[in-house]
Amino acid sequence: MLADPGRTHYDLHFRVLGFPVRVHPWFWLGTALMGSRTLDAGVEFLLAWIAVVLVSLLVHELGHALAFRRYGSDAEILLFAFYGLAIPTHEVFGRRKRIIISLAGPFAGFVLCGLVYGSNVALGWADPGAPHQVFYLYRTLILVNLLWGLMNLLPVYPLDGGQVSRELCGMMWSNRGKRISLKISFGCAVLMIAYSIFCVLDDRGVGAGFTGRLPWWFPPGSVFTAILFGFFAYHNYQELGRTTWTDTHWDDRLPWAR
Ligand SMILES: [Zn+2]
């Protein structure tokens, strides 16, 4: 589902903490498209948006990569449009280890979020009176790492939470676990689609202003999340059709390792 799109001549290569990082050209295009509304405020807001997504996605994948290294595998980081991958060089055996690897990504984002928040409490660099651009940078860093991290922990495959759920279901129900986790995943994805459509309609004045009363840290639904979870639900449904109760030969490898 989320696969390595392959190398191109326009890839950007660099290393962080010894891990090779590859930024696919679609990363820049997809991220700019997602943040195109910031252009109304000025081109510097769009550049700040792209920088925030680059750093946040990189920190998230570094969390996974460091966990892979902890369990004896090296990893390559790929940043693509709307998602990143930490591709291990060796398979890691053991459900407990794979759960920690999956959780390490969102956890790294929460640490970054805490550092950004803490540095502002200590130094006040984004307090009222700071330039709009600086405050935008601060707010976006906090929101992207917090909201994407929380959404990523939903038990929907192939999100990190979906991978944790698959491992947990495998621990509890062994061979039947994958099918149970796919059903949970499909159900949650459908609920997210319904929630996203509700939020979009509510935002347009059809509802009773429910989205305006959500706490600021609660991920809001949008057209983007409706499409994203629609895509996940479709793939989960297809995979459910391919997986039977009696099938004991699960392909438990992650999508990019198949
Ligand atoms: Zn992740």
Side-chain angles (χ1 to χ4, degrees):
M1 208 182 307
L2 305 181
D4 182 348
R7 291 171 190 278
T8 77
H9 291 303
Y10 305 101
D11 288 353
L12 174 71
H13 295 269
F14 55 95
R15 271 181 181 271
V16 179
L17 302 177
F19 297 107
V21 179
R22 177 157 56 97
V23 186
H24 193 276
W26 269 104
F27 167 81
W28 309 107
L29 288 166
T31 309
L33 205 68
M34 205 175 8
S36 53
R37 275 165 70 177
T38 55
L39 259 185
D40 297 343
V43 72
E44 67 273 30
F45 286 90
L46 180 65
L47 293 177
W49 162 255
I50 294 172
V52 166
V53 176
L54 179 74
V55 169
S56 305
L57 208 52
L58 189 59
V59 166
H60 177 100
E61 298 310 331
L62 272 175
H64 291 310
L66 285 169
F68 275 123
R69 184 181 277 170
R70 164 92 176 70
Y71 294 125
S73 171
D74 207 356
E76 183 200 8
I77 293 172
L78 164 76
L79 303 187
F80 189 63
F82 313 126
Y83 69 88
L85 294 175
I87 306 166
T89 49
H90 297 83
E91 201 176 335
V92 173
F93 296 98
R95 293 194 186 277
R96 219 171 282 271
K97 289 179 184 172
R98 290 203 293 261
I99 287 174
I100 291 172
I101 290 168
S102 292
L103 292 178
F107 180 76
F110 296 147
V111 169
L112 176 63
C113 186
L115 286 174
V116 170
Y117 179 79
S119 68
N120 185 46
V121 169
L123 306 169
W125 59 274
D127 275 349
H132 287 317
Q133 291 87 336
V134 174
F135 183 71
Y136 173 79
L137 198 67
Y138 169 76
R139 206 183 65 128
T140 315
L141 264 173
I142 296 267
L143 284 178
V144 162
N145 283 285
L146 201 63
L147 300 189
W148 289 8
L150 288 174
M151 198 142 24
N152 210 344
L153 287 173
L154 287 173
V156 176
Y157 199 79
L159 296 178
D160 289 320
Q163 287 169 28
V164 171
S165 154
R166 181 172 286 195
E167 299 292 353
L168 287 175
C169 288
M171 276 162 135
M172 278 189 273
W173 294 289
S174 65
N175 288 338
R176 295 163 62 215
K178 182 176 175 185
R179 203 175 152 85
I180 294 170
S181 73
L182 275 171
K183 286 193 166 184
I184 295 172
S185 176
F186 177 74
C188 286
V190 169
L191 283 177
M192 275 304 289
I193 299 166
Y195 169 69
S196 302
I197 293 171
F198 175 76
C199 285
V200 170
L201 291 178
D202 188 69
D203 207 32
R204 295 192 180 158
V206 180
F210 162 82
T211 40
R213 290 198 296 272
L214 283 175
W216 65 271
W217 50 265
F218 198 85
S222 62
V223 174
F224 178 73
T225 54
I227 295 170
L228 184 72
F229 284 91
F231 173 73
F232 292 156
Y234 171 73
H235 278 272
N236 285 174
Y237 186 77
Q238 277 197 324
E239 208 173 341
L240 258 174
R242 282 197 299 267
T243 319
T244 59
W245 286 109
T246 48
D247 188 358
T248 50
H249 301 283
W250 309 124
D251 191 353
D252 250 358
R253 288 168 297 170
L254 292 169
W256 53 90
R258 280 177 197 158

